[in-house]
Amino acid sequence: MSPAVLYVDDEQSNLTVFEAAFMDRFPVLTASNGHDAIELLRAHEVAVLLVDQRMPGMSGVELLARAREEFPDPVRILVTAYSNLPEAIDAINEGHIRRYLHKPWNHDELQATLLDAIEVYTVRKRLATLEQHMRQAERVYALGVVSAGVAHELRNPLMVLMGQVELARGDISDLPPVERSRVLHRLEAIHDNLVRVREIVEGMSMAHRRRDAEQQADLTEVVRLTVRSLQSSLTHRARTEQSLAALPPVRGSSTQLGQVVLNLLVNALQALPEDPGPSADHRVSITVRREGDHALLEVADTGPGIPADVQQRIFDPFFTTKTSGGTGLGLAITRQIVEELGGTISLDSAPGHGTRFRVALPLA
């Protein structure tokens, strides 16, 4: 069932008119006081909380303030008469509401406002779900990157040990038969266990390469949602420029693609100063376009750029240039996801000229 709009007003006639006017557009809940409204919020998924200001017991602003603490997700709107304008301004300044409407309300204005608020709520929920999936995916891919690195480090000494076992088999030919049989038995046991270890190592190196080629996602939509989730950070540090073309779906899930976009945007933000100052003109540009049978994603920043020696290691697991707070897994995970999806990732950077990451993903 779709989330509802909850209208709270102590005048029953207003509730009746509201329900009759909008029940065919979206689910409607009504309450005549703040206590009943709180109970409905606990029992139903509410997208929009629309509240009249002048109510006995608990005013509209008081109800919205309480709802903000216990139920932060619904979009909060206050309905007030002109005489209550200072109260509405206080509610806006304190962050209790998204906007206020004059009473008596106009049907068309209220309908447009509510539909917009429902869309805002829906986008917020999608962002929250995407962020949760991203965190889960990052843990999985981080484990995959770590296990692949461990497997890589173990493979060479393991092969040396297996080679030494083979050499030892030849070195015991001069031993007496009984002694040779006893040593050979031990070497066979060592060899069998080394084979088991090799199988484990190969499994570790392959586990992170699993694909789900059936999944498809809208890269442009994923970019829009991810940029929106980072909007406050982007606005604080840089001017954001977007050029997003509508494209056919690409291979991969929205979670995988969202992780790629998020990591690249976070990397671009971290390349810029935290307090750029009023005179700074830093930019982060995001481009999505089509090139043949691939979708191209480019994320560029106007940061200090990356030295050539660092570029050679930028995608290595655990490599980081940050003095604190960096795990060195973000770009390693990004490359891993891109390659799993059959794509490629590259960068173009020079000291003093910013950095541009370029991801090419096959269209589904």
Side-chain angles (χ1 to χ4, degrees), residues 253-274:
S253 68
S254 58
T255 300
Q256 290 172 308
L257 297 174
Q259 191 70 59
V260 169
V261 178
L262 179 64
N263 287 349
L264 292 179
L265 285 175
V266 168
N267 187 75
L269 283 173
Q270 291 176 341
L272 303 177
E274 291 189 16

Side-chain angles (χ1 to χ4, degrees), residues 91-318:
I92 293 174
N93 290 338
E94 293 173 16
H96 300 328
I97 66 174
R98 178 177 175 84
R99 64 171 299 180
Y100 76 91
L101 297 173
H102 295 146
K103 190 177 182 181
W105 39 264
N106 174 273
H107 176 278
D108 293 340
E109 179 188 11
L110 180 57
Q111 177 173 281
T113 299
L114 293 176
L115 291 176
D116 175 70
I118 291 173
E119 177 65 19
V120 169
Y121 172 84
T122 302
V123 170
R124 286 178 181 172
K125 294 287 285 187
R126 291 170 65 186
L127 280 172
T129 301
L130 181 60
E131 288 170 358
Q132 181 181 9
H133 289 170
M134 284 179 181
R135 286 192 293 270
Q136 294 171 349
E138 185 169 12
R139 287 194 291 268
V140 172
Y141 277 101
L143 180 60
V145 170
V146 172
S147 65
V150 171
H152 177 76
E153 295 300 322
L154 288 176
R155 188 176 290 108
N156 287 338
L158 180 60
M159 297 306 296
V160 170
L161 286 174
M162 295 185 73
Q164 291 298 318
V165 169
E166 293 298 327
L167 291 174
R169 283 174 172 170
D171 291 342
I172 64 174
S173 59
D174 295 334
L175 292 176
V178 174
E179 184 71 14
R180 184 170 65 249
S181 177
R182 183 172 61 85
V183 174
L184 184 61
H185 178 73
R186 291 180 178 178
L187 289 175
E188 290 294 341
I190 294 172
H191 180 269
D192 291 344
N193 281 278
L194 287 174
V195 170
R196 292 179 59 188
V197 173
R198 183 181 64 185
E199 291 173 351
I200 294 172
V201 169
E202 291 302 320
M204 292 171 63
S205 65
M206 292 297 295
H208 67 287
R209 298 177 187 172
R210 291 192 295 266
R211 298 182 182 178
D212 188 355
E214 300 300 320
Q215 292 197 29
Q216 302 178 8
D218 184 339
L219 177 60
T220 300
E221 179 65 13
V222 169
V223 170
R224 287 198 182 100
L225 286 172
T226 308
V227 170
R228 191 172 299 179
S229 71
L230 289 173
Q231 194 61 60
S232 60
S233 298
L234 288 167
T235 302
H236 174 68
R237 291 200 187 186
R239 178 159 47 90
T240 306
E241 299 174 346
Q242 300 183 58
S243 177
L244 309 179
L247 300 179
V250 299
R251 292 175 54 189
S253 68
S254 58
T255 300
Q256 290 172 308
L257 297 174
Q259 191 70 59
V260 169
V261 178
L262 179 64
N263 287 349
L264 292 179
L265 285 175
V266 168
N267 187 75
L269 283 173
Q270 291 176 341
L272 303 177
E274 291 189 16
D275 188 10
S279 61
D281 185 26
H282 291 295
R283 298 183 306 282
V284 172
S285 63
I286 309 103
T287 303
V288 175
R289 57 188 174 88
R290 180 170 183 170
E291 187 174 280
D293 57 355
H294 283 72
L296 298 184
L297 165 67
E298 294 183 341
V299 177
D301 63 71
T302 55
I306 304 174
D309 58 330
V310 174
Q311 292 183 35
Q312 297 175 4
R313 303 186 59 195
I314 199 72
F315 294 108
D316 291 349
F318 306 112

